[in-house]
Amino acid sequence: MLKGEEKVWYAAFKAKDTRFDGRFFIGVSSTGIYCRPVCRARLPKAENCTFYVSASAAEQAGYRPCLLCRPELAPGNAPVDAVSSLARRAAGLLEADYGSEQGIEKLADRLGCSSRHLRRAFAAEYSVSPVQYLQTCRLLLAKSLLTDTNLPVISVAMAAGFGSLRRFNALFKKQYGLAPTAMRKQVTGNSSHDTHVTLTLGYRPPYQWKQILDFLAGRVIAGVEKVVDDEYFRTVRLDAGDGQPVYGWIKVGHRPQKNALAVTVSATLLPVLSQVLDRVRHLFDLCCDPDAIVETLAVMNSIRPGLCVPGIRLPGCFDTFEMTVRAVLGQQITVKAAGTLATRLAQVYGTAVDTGIKGLTHVFPSPETLLSLQGQIADHLGLLGITRARANTILGLAKTLAEGEIDLRFCAEPQAELEKLMMIPGIGAWTAQYIAMRAIGWPDAFPHTDYGVKKALSSHVSAEILVLAESWRPWRSYATINLWNTL
């Protein structure tokens, strides 16, 4: 019979969630082997599992390493680097920008390792090279564009990250056995416009669209984003890779009959299409497994019937700096007041854009924009109603993010990044946990001192809330959203 922390670990093991890889290991008494929590072998019974905080502890207990999931490759346990974690971070970077021509050497340098080691790590984790992985990502995006839009084939090739039409045609024919134009002829009913294209991104049902849209609607930064007619709109500025930013807009709607979201992207953003889609997936938590989460959080219904709602998603963010600034502005004031301050900041220091859509007028200022301001940051932001302490915290965030000292999207160790965050004056435990939820997408963050959490659990004191939340692990972030949704 599992108890306490073991129940948490078994739930994470059952979910096969990569975010828990390397944090514990499972000895299986029926086989005599030990595994990583991401092992794809048949799930053993709970009574046959013993949990260990390290691979060495499992081996000392007499277990042999699994030949399928290879515990020696788990983050923090490989002989040279956290091999598995390194490979997944590299894959994340490749998926976020198909058009990147930085090469394996520059990618390895960004991840702090040699290109040779990165190739070995990638092959161990995915059985392909980084180049092959990237080619598949590009081909699948191109296939989607050919199927769902009427973009010219040359535009499809460029949007999918291929350097030339000839290269695209050759690889597409080699992999799929037909030319791109032949696939286009087999598809009917696709559409696109000179100003935008629309693609779909799937999810695992159920999906509580209204709840996540209401959450975002309550926190919109006017001029940067809006929610209208059951759809989410926002402005976008991204780096196309040549040092020049591109500007545009997106619209996201729900297609429940397809278990998908419809993502409309302005044509100006086609050079950074893969970046846009990656950020939309993160914002709307499209990679979540709702069944695994509700299985654990159903216990919340003993507090109040219907407290745990199947299909709840963890709202992420589209722009990390924008979200972290919004979190700082929201300290000890209402959500509405924080939105007012963020709107002023965007209107004064953001960049004006012509989207052709009413209410979308600015992109949020970048870290570099605020760092370029002359004089004291408080003298500038104070005019907007932002206190000196908050202004200095925002400046600290801008510096650490601009210089790459903190990684909030592809971090290997969320706790390590949170500790770095809390070294910035003005960022405490609540802000760090909130950022972990939305920027990092960490599923087990828990801002237990949050006013909304305490209000939703008003019959419990803080110490009781922490004890109560132990049964919600490793999905306390989702539990927090359930609590907020009751207010």
Side-chain angles (χ1 to χ4, degrees):
M1 184 70 179
L2 298 182
K3 54 185 178 180
E5 190 84 2
E6 293 179 341
K7 291 183 178 180
V8 174
W9 286 344
Y10 190 75
F13 182 32
K14 188 174 183 179
K16 310 297 184 188
D17 195 313
T18 59
R19 292 173 287 191
F20 296 97
D21 193 15
R23 297 183 175 274
F24 64 91
F25 297 85
I26 309 97
V28 184
S29 60
S30 58
T31 62
I33 66 171
Y34 73 96
C35 301
R36 295 155 60 186
V38 294
C39 186
R40 292 294 172 182
R42 183 178 179 181
L43 182 72
K45 295 180 180 179
E47 57 265 29
N48 293 334
C49 294
T50 306
F51 299 89
Y52 302 92
V53 295
S54 69
S56 60
E59 292 190 3
Q60 286 296 314
Y63 290 99
R64 307 183 309 276
C66 176
L67 297 179
L68 178 62
C69 67
R70 301 180 64 190
E72 75 275 11
L73 299 181
N77 292 277
V80 180
D81 285 315
V83 177
S84 183
S85 176
L86 175 68
R88 291 199 310 275
R89 291 178 68 202
L93 289 169
L94 292 174
E95 291 170 3
D97 189 2
Y98 300 169
S100 174
E101 297 294 341
Q102 59 182 323
I104 190 66
E105 286 75 17
K106 289 186 177 180
L107 181 61
D109 183 64
R110 178 173 177 179
L111 294 171
C113 66
S114 69
S115 58
R116 182 181 179 185
H117 179 59
L118 180 56
R119 290 188 181 94
R120 285 200 306 263
F122 216 92
E125 186 72 10
Y126 295 107
S127 300
V128 295
S129 71
V131 171
Q132 291 170 322
Y133 189 93
L134 180 59
Q135 284 179 344
T136 297
C137 290
R138 288 171 171 171
L139 285 169
L140 291 175
L141 178 55
K143 184 176 180 295
S144 180
L145 289 168
L146 288 169
T147 302
D148 295 336
T149 80
N150 282 325
L151 284 174
V153 174
I154 180 65
S155 297
V156 169
M158 297 302 106
F162 290 93
S164 70
L165 180 59
R166 180 178 179 181
R167 180 183 174 192
F168 169 57
N169 283 332
L171 188 60
F172 196 94
K173 189 170 184 179
K174 177 183 177 182
Q175 293 297 111
Y176 298 144
L178 72 167
T181 51
M183 174 169 283
R184 171 63 56 78
K185 291 177 182 178
Q186 294 177 7
V187 178
T188 59
N190 50 15
S191 64
S192 63
H193 303 269
D194 292 338
T195 58
H196 60 267
V197 298
T198 299
L199 298 171
T200 57
L201 296 177
Y203 60 75
R204 299 179 184 91
Y207 191 103
Q208 296 295 339
W209 171 252
K210 182 180 185 304
Q211 279 78 358
I212 195 169
L213 202 65
D214 286 348
F215 182 94
L216 296 175
R219 292 158 179 81
V220 295
I221 300 174
V224 175
E225 51 187 349
K226 68 175 185 176
V227 173
V228 178
D229 297 332
D230 206 33
E231 294 179 316
Y232 173 82
F233 297 76
R234 71 164 292 124
T235 58
V236 174
R237 177 194 52 222
L238 290 170
D239 186 353
D242 56 1
Q244 296 299 316
V246 294
Y247 298 87
W249 56 269
I250 63 170
K251 176 179 72 172
V252 183
H254 192 204
R255 300 294 181 269
Q257 68 279 11
K258 294 184 177 181
N259 292 329
L261 302 187
V263 185
T264 301
V265 181
S266 68
T268 56
L269 295 175
L270 287 177
V272 292
L273 181 59
S274 61
Q275 292 187 57
V276 171
L277 297 179
D278 175 71
R279 293 178 182 226
V280 170
R281 290 188 188 96
H282 178 61
L283 173 61
F284 289 96
D285 195 17
L286 297 186
C287 297
C288 148
D289 182 350
D291 292 337
I293 293 168
V294 77
E295 185 173 332
T296 296
L297 296 188
V299 68
M300 297 180 73
N301 292 329
S302 63
I303 302 172
R304 188 182 314 152
L307 187 56
C308 172
V309 178
I312 285 295
R313 290 313 201 265
L314 179 60
C317 69
F318 192 90
D319 182 290
T320 299
F321 181 61
E322 176 187 304
M323 185 262 134
T324 53
V325 169
R326 184 71 170 69
V328 170
L329 294 176
Q331 294 172 343
Q332 299 178 331
I333 63 174
T334 66
V335 171
K336 183 177 180 180
T340 298
L341 294 176
T343 296
R344 293 173 185 169
L345 187 59
Q347 295 290 328
V348 175
Y349 294 107
T351 302
V353 291
D354 182 11
T355 63
I357 298 175
K358 184 179 179 181
L360 293 186
T361 59
H362 289 75
V363 293
F364 198 79
S366 66
E368 292 77 12
T369 297
L370 297 187
L371 290 173
S372 68
L373 297 177
Q374 300 297 313
Q376 296 292 318
I377 186 71
D379 293 338
H380 295 278
L381 303 192
L383 298 175
L384 308 179
I386 299 173
T387 66
R388 179 173 295 273
R390 300 282 186 273
N392 288 330
T393 300
I394 290 170
L395 183 64
L397 271 171
K399 287 180 179 178
T400 54
L401 291 175
E403 296 171 3
E405 296 177 4
I406 294 179
D407 181 357
L408 296 178
R409 277 301 313 275
F410 302 105
C411 58
E413 292 292 337
Q415 189 58 45
E417 302 306 311
L418 294 189
E419 290 173 1
K420 294 177 188 176
L421 271 174
M422 288 190 287
M423 291 177 66
I424 301 173
I427 294 186
W430 177 88
T431 308
Q433 290 293 317
Y434 184 74
I435 290 173
M437 288 175 60
R438 299 198 57 198
I440 298 177
W442 180 236
D444 202 31
F446 188 53
H448 71 280
T449 61
D450 177 78
Y451 172 78
V453 169
K454 291 192 289 186
K455 184 176 180 180
L457 299 172
S458 58
S459 60
H460 299 77
V461 299
S462 293
E464 292 174 335
I465 290 174
L466 278 174
V467 173
L468 186 66
E470 281 297 303
S471 64
W472 306 337
R473 298 183 64 193
W475 314 113
R476 290 183 299 178
S477 292
Y478 293 90
T480 301
I481 298 299
N482 274 310
L483 294 172
W484 285 345
N485 284 343
T486 66
L487 302 178

